[in-house]
């Protein structure tokens, strides 16, 4: 604001200064013209007195005059009179003054820094970081109390100063009337005295002839001061002294002065640097001269100029400042560009100043400066002040003499004869009394004249008294114009009177302003009064009142005045005790709007920029759009296209809430401005704000694009940009790759192992540089977001990259088209030439790069053409601009160290900075006859084709899968001879079959197979290709057997193929290829099997080669639903595989060899199992072998020991064994925690019992299903596995679903319960059999005692020594035994203590004694058994067995 430059008292005092006229002769003007100055311009820098002056008031009191300034002007006799409004010439002057005064860029005084607020008050304040919530109130309060708290507005100071100085003299006040006249004559004149006489007469004629209304003179007897101007470079100094002595004799020493100038020649002026104090006054003087000279002839021209300047601004700027342009388009900016934006040459061109070209005061020395300064001081102290003092005394004497009766009679006479106005009239009445004129000798005017004289010489106390007296007289006369002037000056005098007890009467000023504006309709005087009062109020800290006063003064008659006052009101709001920041911004917008209407576009732009600092990023979206839009237009009009582009960019970058039509207008304006900028600068591409690029969503794909399916071939899915990223799947793929890498590196994963990532996104690990391969494309997917409600058209998209070849320096950013085919080829993957991005939508664009050299690649941006996608216009007619956007991806936040946690740090994200490596092998995989649906356990044969499409050979082909039991490639030792081509294998069985003749009671076919024959028992499978190397361009096909999962449902099965380069030491150690299939498994058969021991004694089974008497019962049920189209299942073969047991023969009572099952049918098959011979189980190398036994139920035998039956069997065994190993490990870990010896003994007993009941017999049920599909009958094959582990426990082929049980949280460890071995399991340690004749005949008449031999067979079923006690004294009390005859007695030894070795069979011969015929139960012996070294004997539950009945007949 303006008061920071000078104090308010000084400003008000300088607004009313003594006026001095100047009349010069031609010779005097010629002498001053040597310095490019006229006489008034020569004096102007020295018009402020540096010393104090003194006068005496009418009471003879000495008054000090401090810092007095006088105003010296040439006498201009223009006919203009005082009016209620400024003339066109004066308006033009003020407009030029404001236009020529622009803010200094980067000035420190133009910045307010308060807390987090940083309000820049300069011409380029487009940016501001001002968080809304901060300690800005206290900070602004602290700053506002300092001396440098406001931002300067020099244009307002210049406007105010010029406005006050160019105000026309008025008849109701005398402050602007001339008090004295300087008569200047050169010493070179022939007769200077005659020239003085002529000038004196000329002044008298001007003042008293009545021909001229201007200039106006203060008193009739104007002071004439005679100045003899002596040119030191031309005239004779002695003659000048003589003339001056004559003047002192003629005019008195107090009324003349000899002024010597031009002490040096102009030729030597350039050698010495003299200060130039005139430059700051010359521009103002030149403008005032223009006002004086062209006032009458340029009115129409000025009006047309102002209208032209206003018309150059768009309609949206002339309308309401908060209203946006609804239909603005490119035509509006055409209008703006065609407007006259150059500042008037006369306002800024130094050539047009009064002095013309060259410096000022070239012939003056510093001594000449002192002479001029001394002349002003002498004139003022010895001429002007005494003259004013004398007139004050005269006026005071006249007023004193007129007091009393004369004054009363004068006032009464006017009242009686109607000369005065009633004092009861209100100020607000619209009377025409403002035109009332007093005669020059009227006492009221004499009082006013005396008050003005006192005010000019700083006698404010006497001035206030006179103004107050005159105010009463004027109000009583209803002379409102005079009264308002007296009120105004009374208030100013009261303010300037330092020692007065009274406060500043602001209501005087308010009444004066209201009277000037509403009653007298004089806006010029009202504006002057407002300017004075506002500055006084601001100096007293009353910013709210000052702002209200300034806002009230705005009107439609002057846009420039309204703009300046609104700007000052805004500064009042920001400088209040509690700063009103939003009010400041709002009034700055209003000021900018009025500046724009006044043609002051630079000031309009500045106001909008300052307001933007408050509204920016505060949620005022619509206001922010309006401000940015106006800034853009004004900047474009002022030839600042860069700022215009930046402003329009802000509108389009933020999420706008404008309507679609308004957004379209914004976009067209931006495109037009942007294109005009690009027309001037075509070297570099600037940044485009649209569309928004979601950088973190950028995805990069490395690798060859897979080929689609060719006929029946199904390509591997691998990785593509169409797949969504899943964290769990990524962890699964990483686990599979670790298994493959460990398999290729002798079971260990290298320390520098890095997971292969073909597709990088925001969720992958991007801390390392990704590796790309030469001649393999890279696809970059960019996510665009259109924040507007109008569609955008993007075309010619390409990536901007920087490439550093190996062992070379980094290159600059390169456009792809400049290096096509050299290093990297940029290919656009979009099929359309114009890519449409619809409103408020996300869309992806995929761009492809093809590297041709090794090195470091950095993708830095994207280049594209932007246009508005209009449905009615073709692409050629759209306004298209080309630009770029940078791709900068912020990495993840670091959270490792303490500094990282305290600060916000982000790690690198290098997904766009790949390293280009040399050629690597590239493999493609295709599948033939690969099913999508299988029955549970179904065997299907497919083919897989491996193609090497690179120029490098590959080796080390492996595959890992999440379901290794789903497939097999077979083994070279067990793979049957099968057709190699898929076409010849359509009707062939997947099994190896042999034709056999089925005979009743035939035993199983036995084959002994080593586990080494099936080498692929691990989770990683080595793919058997010829030579283990696939040359470039070669392909090979291998058979692949598949088996449907045992559990129904949809199964996701993942394959990961691994291969390496033949060359070692490359940056990429290996490559992988992913494949995912979904298999729908349907129900087929349910197989349940159980084993039990036969009661036949071992010695009765010698014909079966030592069969131990184990029976296996298999229950098969068709659980298939009719939806799959299966008509019936045929059980074609039952096989077994085990290291210790085997199926011997089928003992099915029904003898039905062809077992057919339709829907929901069940069949039961019974087989006898036997142990394998000891020499069959172990090879010479110590590796245990498996015995495969096949019992076919038809006429074809399927070799179960070959591929694929054997492979899937071993897969199933591996799964079962892993599950059992997990259970055993958990048991071992739990048992290892216990240290009690009794618990160890119990666990040993458990192991003994378990081994006693172990069976370890694996059943393979092979079936065929007949399916009708498309009126064709198909035969499906499959196999189901059942693992019989324990005798007496049923096993099933169905996979039970694991029930999740809730585990209670325990806070205290509990003692494990003692292990109690159930008697049912202990009874299996010993198997007992009684052998006796079923019928025995004895002659009881001859011999009363009948002795029958009975053999008790004891079989040790456990692998440990067992102690046995046989007690024959027990009498049975079971209900079964009570039903038969009376008891009998055992004779002989009644108790036996024995010990049996592992699996030993012992026979005891007993004798039973009967006394009469009948039916007896011999199952009465009690058998106790315990493992050796155990403390407790356990009785076997033989009494619960079936009774052993014997019939005793009497002979």
């Amino acid at each position: 604001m303006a008061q920071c430059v000078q104090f308010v008292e000084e400003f008000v005092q300088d607004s009313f200064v003594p006026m001095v006229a100047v009349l010069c002769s031609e010779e005097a003007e010629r002498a001053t013209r040597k310095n490019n100055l006229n006489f008034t311009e020569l004096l102007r820098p020295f018009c402020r007195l540096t010393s104090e002056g003194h006068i005496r008031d009418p009471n003879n009191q000495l008054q000090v005059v401090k810092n007095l300034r006088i105003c010296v002007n040439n006498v201009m006799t223009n006919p203009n009179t005082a009016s209620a409004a400024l003339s066109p010439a004066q308006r033009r002057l003020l407009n030029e003054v404001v236009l020529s005064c622009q803010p200094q860029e980067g000035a420190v005084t133009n910045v307010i820094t308060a807390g987090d607020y940083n309000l820049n008050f300069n011409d380029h304040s487009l940016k501001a970081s001002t968080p809304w919530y901060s300690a800005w109130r206290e900070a602004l309060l602290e700053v506002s109390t300092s001396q440098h708290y406001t931002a300067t507005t020099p244009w307002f100071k210049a406007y105010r100063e010029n406005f006050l100085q160019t105000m026309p003299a008025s008849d109701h006040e005398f402050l602007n009337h001339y008090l004295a006249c300087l008569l200047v004559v050169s010493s070179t004149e022939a007769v200077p005295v005659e020239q003085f006489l002529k000038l004196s007469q000329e002044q008298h004629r001007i003042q008293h002839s009545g021909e001229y209304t201007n200039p106006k003179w203060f008193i009739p007897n104007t002071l004439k001061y005679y100045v003899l101007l002596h040119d030191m470079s031309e005239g004779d100094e002695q003659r000048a002294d003589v003339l001056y002595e004559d003047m002192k004799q003629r005019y008195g020493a107090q009324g003349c002065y000899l002024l010597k100038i031009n002490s040096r020649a102009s030729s030597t002026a350039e050698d010495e640097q003299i200060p130039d104090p005139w430059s700051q006054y010359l521009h103002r003087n030149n403008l005032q001269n223009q006002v004086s000279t062209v006032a009458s002839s340029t009115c129409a021209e000025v009006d047309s100029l102002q209208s032209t300047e206003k018309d150059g601004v768009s309609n949206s700027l002339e309308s309401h400042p908060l209203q946006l342009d609804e239909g603005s388009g490119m035509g509006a900016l055409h209008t703006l560009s065609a407007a006259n934006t150059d500042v008037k040459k006369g306002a800024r061109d130094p050539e047009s100043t009064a002095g013309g070209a060259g410096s000022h005061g070239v012939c003056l020395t510093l001594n000449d400066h002192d002479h001029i300064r001394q002349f002003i001081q002498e004139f003022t102290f010895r001429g002007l002040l005494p003259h004013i003092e004398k007139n004050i005394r005269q006026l005071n004497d006249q007023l004193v003499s007129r007091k009393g009766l004369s004054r009363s009679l004068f006032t009464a006479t006017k009242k009686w004869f109607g000369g005065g106005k009633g004092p009861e009239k209100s100020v607000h009445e619209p009377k025409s009394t403002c035109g009332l004129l007093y005669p020059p000798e009227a006492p009221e005017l004499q009082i006013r004249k005396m008050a003005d004289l006192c005010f000019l010489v700083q006698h404010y106390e006497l001035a206030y008294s006179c103004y107050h007296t005159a105010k009463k007289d004027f109000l009583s006369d209803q002379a409102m114009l005079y009264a308002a002037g007296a009120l105004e000056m009374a208030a100013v005098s009261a303010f300037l009177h330092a020692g007065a007890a009274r406060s500043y009467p602001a209501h005087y000023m308010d009444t004066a302003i209201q009277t000037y504006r509403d009653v007298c309709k004089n806006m010029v005087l009202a504006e002057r009064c407002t300017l004075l009062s506002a500055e006084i109020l601001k100096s007293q800290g009353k910013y709210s009142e000052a702002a209200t006063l300034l806002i009230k003064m705005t009107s439609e008659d002057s846009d420039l005045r309204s703009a300046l006052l609104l700007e000052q009101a805004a500064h009042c709001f920001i400088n209040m005790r509690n700063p009103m920041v939003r009010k400041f911004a709002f009034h700055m917008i209003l000021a900018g709007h009025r500046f724009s209407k006044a043609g002051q576009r630079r000031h309009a732009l500045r106001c909008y920029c300052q307001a933007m600092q408050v509204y920016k990023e505060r949620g005022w979206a619509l206001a922010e759009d309006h401000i940015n839009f106006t800034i853009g237009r004004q900047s474009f009009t002022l030839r600042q296209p860069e700022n215009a582009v930046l402003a329009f960019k802000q509108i389009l970058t933020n999420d706008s809430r404008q309507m679609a039509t308004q957004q379209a207008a914004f976009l067209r304006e931006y495109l037009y401005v942007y294109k005009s900028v690009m027309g001037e600068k075509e070297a570099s591409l600037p940044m485009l704000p649209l569309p928004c690029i979601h950088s973190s969503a950028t995805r990069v794909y490395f690798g060859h694009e897979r080929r689609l399916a060719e006929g029946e071939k199904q390509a591997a899915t691998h990785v593509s940009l169409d797949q969504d990223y899943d964290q769990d799947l990524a962890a699964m793929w990483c686990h599979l790759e670790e298994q493959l890498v460990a398999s290729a590196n002798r079971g260990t994963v290298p320390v520098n192992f890095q997971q292969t990532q073909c597709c990088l996104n925001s969720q992958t690990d991007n801390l390392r540089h990704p590796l790309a391969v030469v001649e393999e494309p890279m696809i970059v997917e960019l996510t665009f977001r259109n924040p507007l409600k109008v569609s955008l058209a993007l075309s010619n998209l390409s990536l901007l990259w920087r490439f550093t070849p190996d062992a070379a320096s980094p290159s600059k950013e390169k456009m792809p088209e400049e290096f096509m085919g050299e290093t990297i080829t940029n290919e656009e993957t979009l099929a359309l030439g114009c890519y449409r991005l619809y409103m408020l939508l996300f869309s992806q664009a995929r761009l492809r790069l093809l590297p041709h050299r090794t090195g470091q690649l950095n993708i830095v941006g994207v280049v594209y053409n932007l246009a508005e996608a209009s449905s009615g216009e073709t692409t050629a007619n759209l306004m298209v601009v080309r630009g770029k956007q940078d791709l900068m991806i912020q990495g993840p936040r670091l959270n490792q160290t303490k500094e990282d946690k305290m600060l916000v740090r982000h790690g690198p994200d290098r997904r766009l900075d790949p390293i280009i490596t040399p050629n690597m092998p590239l493999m493609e995989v295709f599948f033939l006859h690969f099913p999508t649906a299988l029955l549970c356990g179904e065997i299907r044969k497919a083919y897989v084709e491996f193609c090497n499409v690179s120029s490098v050979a590959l080796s080390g082909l492996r595959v890992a899968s999440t379901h290794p039991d789903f497939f097999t490639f077979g083994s070279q030792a067990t793979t049957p001879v099968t057709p190699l081509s898929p076409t010849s294998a359509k009707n062939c069985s997947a099994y190896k079959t042999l034709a056999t003749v089925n005979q009743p009671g035939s035993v199983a076919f036995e084959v002994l197979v080593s586990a080494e024959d099936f080498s692929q028992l691990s989770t990683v499978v080595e793919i058997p290709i010829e030579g283990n190397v696939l040359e470039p361009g070669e392909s090979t096909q291998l058979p692949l057997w598949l088996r449907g999962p045992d559990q129904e449902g949809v199964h996701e099965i993942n394959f990961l193929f691994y291969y390496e380069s033949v060359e070692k030491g490359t940056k990429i150690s290996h490559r992988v290829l992913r494949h995912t299939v979904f298999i729908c498994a349907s129900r087929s058969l349910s197989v349940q099997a159980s084993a039990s021991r036969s009661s036949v004694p071992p010695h009765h089974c010698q014909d079966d080669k030592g069969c131990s008497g184990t029976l296996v019962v298999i229950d098969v049920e068709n659980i298939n639903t009719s939806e799959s189209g299966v008509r019936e299942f045929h059980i074609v073969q039952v096989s077994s595989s085990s290291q210790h047991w085997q199926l011997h023969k089928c003992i099915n009572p029904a003898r039905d060899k062809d077992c057919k099952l339709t829907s929901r049918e069940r069949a039961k098959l019974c087989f006898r199992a036997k142990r394998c011979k000891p020499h069959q189980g172990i090879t010479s190398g110590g590796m245990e072998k498996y015995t495969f036994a096949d019992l076919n139920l038809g006429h074809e035998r399927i070799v179960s020991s070959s591929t694929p039956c054997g492979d899937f069997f071993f897969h199933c065994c591996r799964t079962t064994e892993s599950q059992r190993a997990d259970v055993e490990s958990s048991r071992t870990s739990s048992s290892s925690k216990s240290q009690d010896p009794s618990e160890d003994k119990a666990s040993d007993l458990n192991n003994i019992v378990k081994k006693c009941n172990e069976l370890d017999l694996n059943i393979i049920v092979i079936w065929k299903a007949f399916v009708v599909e498309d009126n064709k009958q198909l035969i499906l094959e499959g196999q189901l596995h059942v693992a019989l582990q324990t005798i007496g426990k049923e096993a099933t082929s169905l996979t039970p679903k694991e029930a999740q049980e809730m585990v209670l949280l325990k806070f205290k460890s509990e003692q494990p319960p003692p292990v109690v071995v159930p008697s049912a399991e202990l009874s299996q340690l010993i198997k007992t059999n009684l052998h006796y004749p079923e019928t025995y005949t004895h002659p009881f008449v001859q011999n009363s005692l009948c002795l029958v031999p009975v053999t008790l067979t004891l079989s040790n079923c456990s692998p440990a020594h067992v102690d046995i006690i046989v007690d024959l004294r027990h009498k049975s009390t079971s209900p079964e035994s009570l039903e038969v005859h009376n008891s009998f007695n055992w004779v002989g030894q009644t108790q036996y203590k024995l010990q049996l070795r592992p699996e030993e069979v012992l026979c005891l011969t007993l004798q039973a004694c009967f006394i009469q015929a009948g039916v007896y139960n011999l199952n009465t012996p009690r058998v106790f058994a315990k493992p050796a070294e155990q403390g407790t004997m356990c009785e076997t539950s033989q009494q619960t067995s079936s009774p052993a009945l014997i019939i005793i007949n009497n002979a």
Side-chain angles (χ1 to χ4, degrees), residues 926-1220:
F926 297 94
F927 297 89
L928 289 83
H929 300 167
F930 205 93
T932 57
L934 293 172
L935 296 176
C936 292
E938 178 186 352
I939 304 296
R940 189 77 64 90
K941 187 176 183 181
Y943 288 83
V944 59
E945 180 178 355
F946 301 97
C947 303
N948 187 356
V949 295
S950 66
S951 58
V952 182
L954 63 88
S955 63
L957 189 57
R958 293 174 173 84
V959 64
S961 175
T962 54
H963 296 69
D965 54 347
F966 173 70
F967 71 99
T968 180
F969 283 96
S971 174
Q972 295 181 358
T974 61
T975 302
V977 180
T978 57
L980 295 180
S981 62
T983 56
S984 60
K986 288 185 178 179
N987 299 320
C988 295
S989 173
Y991 291 109
K992 179 181 179 181
T993 58
L994 299 174
T996 58
V997 177
N998 188 19
Q999 297 180 357
S1002 60
V1003 295
F1005 296 94
E1006 299 178 8
V1007 177
L1008 199 63
V1009 177
S1010 174
E1012 292 180 344
D1013 296 338
F1014 298 89
S1015 58
Q1016 308 294 343
L1017 296 181
S1018 63
T1019 56
V1020 177
V1021 179
E1022 296 185 3
I1023 300 177
I1025 59 175
E1026 185 177 357
N1028 202 27
V1029 176
L1030 196 60
E1031 296 296 333
E1034 288 188 357
S1035 62
T1036 182
Q1037 283 188 355
L1038 295 176
L1040 180 69
W1041 286 271
L1042 309 175
R1043 179 177 179 270
D1046 291 325
Q1047 188 174 358
E1048 66 171 337
V1050 178
H1051 299 264
E1052 179 182 352
I1053 301 175
N1054 300 287
F1055 298 89
L1056 187 64
F1057 296 92
Y1058 170 100
Y1059 57 97
E1060 304 172 350
S1061 175
V1062 178
E1063 302 175 0
K1064 303 299 181 182
T1066 58
K1067 290 184 179 180
I1068 302 178
S1069 61
H1070 65 277
R1071 306 192 81 173
V1072 294
L1073 179 67
R1074 301 177 183 179
H1075 180 58
T1076 302
V1077 295
F1078 292 91
I1079 299 296
C1080 181
S1082 304
R1083 293 181 179 182
S1084 56
L1085 297 177
S1086 171
V1087 178
Q1088 295 180 349
S1090 61
S1092 60
R1093 287 193 176 94
S1094 175
S1095 59
V1096 180
H1099 59 276
H1100 289 187
C1101 303
Q1102 295 301 323
D1103 56 339
D1104 293 334
K1105 301 179 181 180
C1107 173
S1108 62
T1110 302
L1111 301 181
V1112 177
V1113 178
I1114 300 175
D1115 193 352
V1116 183
E1117 181 183 3
N1118 181 1
I1119 60 175
N1120 179 259
T1121 58
S1122 58
E1123 298 175 357
S1124 58
V1126 179
R1127 290 195 308 171
E1128 59 184 7
F1129 286 89
H1130 287 221
I1131 309 301
V1132 297
Q1133 181 172 309
V1134 177
S1135 302
S1136 68
S1137 176
S1138 176
Q1139 294 175 339
H1140 310 288
W1141 292 82
Q1142 71 178 53
L1143 292 179
H1144 181 55
K1145 66 179 180 179
C1146 178
I1147 56 174
N1148 195 25
R1151 302 296 181 183
D1152 187 6
K1153 295 299 181 180
D1154 191 8
C1155 183
K1156 299 179 182 180
L1157 297 175
T1158 58
S1159 179
R1160 289 300 175 182
E1161 284 190 347
R1162 301 182 65 172
K1164 183 167 291 190
L1165 303 175
C1166 187
F1167 299 90
R1168 174 166 292 175
K1170 68 175 184 178
R1171 286 184 178 272
C1172 299
K1173 294 182 179 181
H1175 66 274
Q1176 289 181 269
I1178 302 177
T1179 62
S1180 60
M1183 175 65 70
E1184 293 186 352
K1185 288 192 174 184
Y1186 287 80
T1187 300
F1188 283 82
D1190 300 332
L1191 288 171
N1192 59 306
L1193 304 182
H1195 299 286
E1196 287 183 349
R1197 172 182 166 234
I1198 296 174
V1199 182
S1200 61
S1201 59
S1202 64
T1203 299
C1205 187
D1207 296 87
F1208 289 118
F1209 161 71
F1210 281 109
H1211 284 316
C1212 180
C1213 288
R1214 182 183 61 203
T1215 305
T1216 307
E1217 289 175 2
S1218 64
Q1219 294 176 355
R1220 281 189 294 172

Side-chain angles (χ1 to χ4, degrees), residues 719-830:
V719 183
S720 68
L721 290 173
D722 298 328
Q723 302 172 358
D724 295 331
Y725 182 81
D726 187 284
Q727 192 72 33
D728 297 334
L729 284 178
M732 180 269 300
W733 289 117
C734 181
H735 178 66
L736 291 179
E737 188 172 354
E738 287 180 354
Q739 293 179 359
L740 290 166
V741 172
S743 174
N745 291 274
R746 300 179 180 179
T748 60
V749 179
V751 179
N752 59 348
F753 166 74
Q754 183 178 358
Q755 180 189 4
T756 302
Q757 298 183 114
C758 297
C759 185
L760 301 180
N761 53 43
S762 59
Q763 300 180 8
T764 56
D765 183 12
N766 304 321
L767 296 178
R768 302 181 182 179
H769 291 279
L771 300 178
V773 181
V774 170
E775 302 299 335
E776 291 188 15
M778 299 163 38
I779 300 177
V780 180
E781 182 186 81
L782 303 177
T783 301
F784 294 98
R785 182 179 68 89
N786 182 7
L788 303 182
K789 300 175 184 176
V790 294
S791 300
L792 302 176
L794 305 182
S795 59
N796 296 334
L797 282 84
S798 58
L799 293 173
L800 188 63
W801 43 264
R802 182 173 57 250
F803 182 74
T804 306
D806 288 338
S809 59
S811 60
K812 297 182 179 179
E813 295 183 4
K814 302 178 181 179
M815 290 294 297
E817 52 267 19
E818 298 176 5
F819 297 87
M820 188 70 68
E822 176 194 344
T823 304
I824 294 176
T825 304
N826 194 325
E827 304 174 6
E828 185 176 347
T829 60
L830 301 173

Side-chain angles (χ1 to χ4, degrees), residues 382-654:
R382 302 181 64 180
L384 184 60
L385 290 182
H387 177 70
I388 295 176
E389 180 181 346
K390 182 180 67 174
N391 283 276
I392 290 176
R393 288 180 178 274
Q394 292 177 358
L395 291 173
N396 183 67
D397 294 341
Q398 294 176 9
L399 293 176
V400 170
S401 64
R402 291 185 182 182
K403 283 183 180 180
L405 181 60
S406 299
R407 173 61 179 162
S408 302
L409 287 175
F410 179 76
T411 305
T413 303
K414 289 193 295 184
K415 290 181 180 179
W416 293 339
F417 295 95
K421 305 298 177 183
E424 71 278 359
K425 301 294 183 182
S426 173
V427 175
H428 301 281
E429 291 185 5
K431 295 287 184 179
S432 60
T433 53
C434 59
L436 177 64
L437 296 178
Y438 287 96
E441 64 279 0
E444 292 85 356
L445 291 186
Q446 300 302 318
I447 297 176
R448 173 61 195 255
K449 188 177 294 186
M450 178 180 173
D452 289 345
L453 283 175
C454 294
F455 185 88
L456 292 176
V457 294
Q458 303 177 8
H459 195 341
Y460 300 119
E461 183 179 4
L462 182 56
Y464 176 79
S465 177
C466 295
Y467 285 132
H468 196 270
T469 302
K471 179 255 304 183
K472 294 180 180 180
D473 294 338
F474 292 141
L475 286 177
S476 64
D477 295 341
Q478 285 295 296
M480 304 311 299
L481 180 62
Y482 294 89
L487 285 170
E488 175 187 3
M489 297 311 298
V492 173
S493 300
F495 170 72
L496 293 177
H497 185 34
R502 67 180 68 89
S503 60
Y504 168 66
H507 60 285
Y508 279 14
M509 278 293 194
D510 296 339
T511 305
I513 295 172
Q514 186 177 4
T515 304
Y516 283 142
R517 184 182 65 238
D518 299 336
V519 180
C520 302
K521 308 298 181 183
N522 194 319
M523 296 301 295
V524 176
L525 295 175
E527 182 178 354
R528 183 187 70 178
C529 195
T530 301
L531 294 177
L532 295 174
S533 181
E535 295 302 326
I536 294 173
L537 290 173
K538 287 187 287 187
S539 67
Q540 297 177 348
K542 300 178 180 180
Y543 290 101
S544 178
E545 293 83 351
T548 304
L549 194 65
L550 292 169
I551 295 172
K552 284 182 179 180
M553 196 56 203
T554 58
S555 60
E556 294 298 327
D557 62 329
S558 176
D559 291 323
L560 181 61
R561 180 187 69 233
S562 300
L564 291 168
L565 297 185
L566 284 171
E567 182 182 14
Q568 292 303 305
H571 282 276
C572 290
F573 288 123
I574 200 67
N575 284 279
M576 294 177 63
R577 185 176 183 86
N578 293 323
M580 297 183 177
V581 185
R582 288 195 292 264
K583 275 197 173 184
F584 159 77
F586 178 72
H587 285 83
M588 288 301 289
I589 293 176
L590 297 178
H593 174 66
R594 299 303 292 269
F595 271 128
S596 180
K597 293 179 67 177
Q600 302 283 344
R601 295 192 181 90
R602 288 185 179 275
H603 289 291
L605 176 61
R606 174 186 51 77
C607 291
Y608 277 100
C609 291
Q610 291 178 7
M612 177 53 113
Q613 298 173 93
V614 176
Y615 284 107
K616 187 177 183 181
E617 298 177 359
R618 298 290 176 270
W620 299 74
L622 299 180
E624 192 173 348
D625 289 346
H626 165 76
I627 298 173
N628 278 316
F629 180 71
T630 309
I631 289 175
R633 282 199 159 187
Q634 295 287 7
S635 300
F636 182 78
T637 309
L638 294 172
R639 310 286 193 218
Q640 299 176 9
E642 293 82 4
N643 291 341
V645 170
L646 182 61
F648 282 116
K649 182 179 178 181
Q650 296 295 328
I651 304 178
L652 302 176
T653 302
N654 300 328

